[in-house]
Amino acid sequence: MSQTKPIGIFDSGIGGLTVANAVISRLPKEQIIYFGDTVHLPYGDKSKDSINYYALRITRYLLDKGCKAIVIACNTASAAAYRTLVDFFDRETIIVNVVDPLVEAAIKRNARKVGIIGTKLTIESGVYQQQLHTLAPEMEVTALPTPLLAPMIEEGFINNSVSNVVLKEYLHHAMFDGMDALLLACTHYALIKPQIQDLLPGVEIIDTADTTARYLQRQLSEHQLLNTFPQQEEHHFIVSDFTPTFEETTALFFKDAVHLEEDNIWRQQKW
Ligand code: DGL
């Protein structure tokens, strides 16, 4: 029965665990198969063509594992490859990205001026700016690439003097004056949401984790794919390249340490 099949979630690495965690909390009856493409991390500096290729291959892999839906738990991959994945796999599965839920949240809040921060690719793709412009033409939108933030968070620089200096440099920028909402368009940034909130009192800070989980719940429900049976199967967390550091860092993104399995889908031949 398709309702009991797993949900496939993928990211460039382990940042997407913030989304996986929110999905598991919101939908405890669902089984998750998570794939982090640590061989190619980070996606934020890669070309759109490369990310399209990675996303196609990973989606095929998750569908071959029997997944009933695919969540692109990465803003960069959502910005670069969502359309391609829909073109290829629309008939086989439902595909949820992290851009649509954030855009929807910004519009629901009736924001007059919205700021966006994310990786270079996400911001330069213009995907958020275009969608907001189409759906809310009167909304003022301003976006800044903040490439230092993801590696800073991975290194555990959260809520300390270093991250404060970096965040102030990015966020106390004249372009953000007068905004009423800031979209955290990178999976990692959910971890520094309280620190950003302290620097921007009165601004609504919206991240990808729970917004995406809620959006996925709606999509599964509309397609009669929500699992109503007790969950029997274990979740799987797979990476294309295993290192002990990746496994240790999962605790940061998932709230609990996660056991990572390795499956290097890029290796043509095992030596
Ligand atoms: N997970 C990516 C995102 O949400 C950030 C890390 C990367 O550059 O791969 O954009």
Side-chain angles (χ1 to χ4, degrees), residues 11-13 15-16 40-45 73-77 98 118-119 122 150 154 185-188 208:
D11 176 41
S12 55
H40 297 120
L41 184 75
Y43 278 5
D45 302 322
C74 173
N75 284 265
T76 310
V98 287
T119 65
T122 299
E154 277 169 22
C186 175
T187 48
H188 289 49
T208 41

Side-chain angles (χ1 to χ4, degrees), residues 40 48-58 81 266 268:
H40 297 120
K48 192 173 177 207
D49 284 351
S50 293
I51 296 171
N52 270 303
Y53 172 70
Y54 306 150
L56 281 167
R57 175 75 185 86
I58 295 165
W266 312 108
Q268 299 291 317

